Amino acid sequence: MGTVGHNGNRYDHPGEQTGRDPVRLIAIRDTPLSLDEVFAAVGEDSAGGTALFVGTVRDHDGGADVAALGYSCHPTAEAEIRRIAEAVAEKFPVRALAAVHRVGDLKVGDLAVVVAVACAHRGDAFEACRSLIDDLKREVPIWKHQTFSDGTDEWVGA
């Protein structure tokens, strides 16, 4: 039978209810991102599974060598990430969620985005994490400017 929690999700055990807002960390930063910070933000005793996605700057795209990369965003980008995070928390049985994106000039290997979702079960955590990153990349007004080693460049983004 179970109990219905604050976000409408059904819980089989009282320990699965956190009573806290599941959206724990949302940010856009012009400084290096921290895996430890994001992982700590979603720490939750009622979660048996945490899925973490890390997007890094790669050295190529579309068959061309990337020489430089920069991210910029619209002033509403952080609010859009929050909107998406809240929607994911409503759709999935999320206990805790975090999403942080970097802007500015980045180097190959730098962390560009880190998202994490904690749920009672791993399958839900994987699904919710994938939904969070996919929706973020598709809908949030963040743009990537890539410069290639041959001097050409391109803009990519939502």
Side-chain angles (χ1 to χ4, degrees):
M1 194 143 186
T3 303
V4 176
H6 71 281
N7 61 0
N9 291 324
R10 185 164 299 284
Y11 302 99
D12 296 326
H13 184 275
E16 292 181 348
Q17 301 173 42
T18 66
R20 294 177 58 195
D21 180 359
V23 179
R24 306 287 170 81
L25 172 64
I26 301 295
I28 293 181
R29 305 230 172 102
D30 61 1
T31 56
L33 305 183
S34 165
L35 294 174
D36 290 337
E37 177 192 25
V38 174
F39 185 67
V42 298
E44 182 62 52
D45 289 343
S46 66
T50 300
L52 182 77
F53 173 81
V54 180
T56 57
V57 177
R58 62 182 178 266
D59 66 357
H60 68 281
D61 192 29
D65 292 334
V66 173
L69 185 141
Y71 283 99
S72 59
C73 69
H74 190 273
T76 62
E78 193 168 297
E80 285 299 301
I81 295 174
R82 178 166 296 281
R83 179 188 62 76
I84 289 165
E86 289 170 351
V88 168
E90 285 296 318
K91 182 177 178 183
F92 297 93
V94 170
R95 302 294 175 266
L97 177 151
V100 183
H101 204 295
R102 178 107 183 256
V103 292
D105 295 328
L106 283 74
K107 301 180 311 243
V108 169
D110 282 349
L111 306 182
V113 61
V114 181
V115 302
V117 177
C119 296
H121 305 285
R122 72 178 177 273
D124 292 331
F126 281 127
E127 288 181 41
C129 189
R130 179 162 196 138
S131 180
L132 177 60
I133 190 61
D134 287 351
D135 293 350
L136 186 155
K137 295 303 281 182
R138 183 176 49 253
E139 298 177 30
V140 177
I142 295 174
W143 305 285
K144 176 171 59 173
H145 183 228
Q146 299 184 114
T147 303
F148 300 104
S149 59
D150 66 3
T152 62
D153 68 335
E154 74 175 350
W155 285 91
V156 181

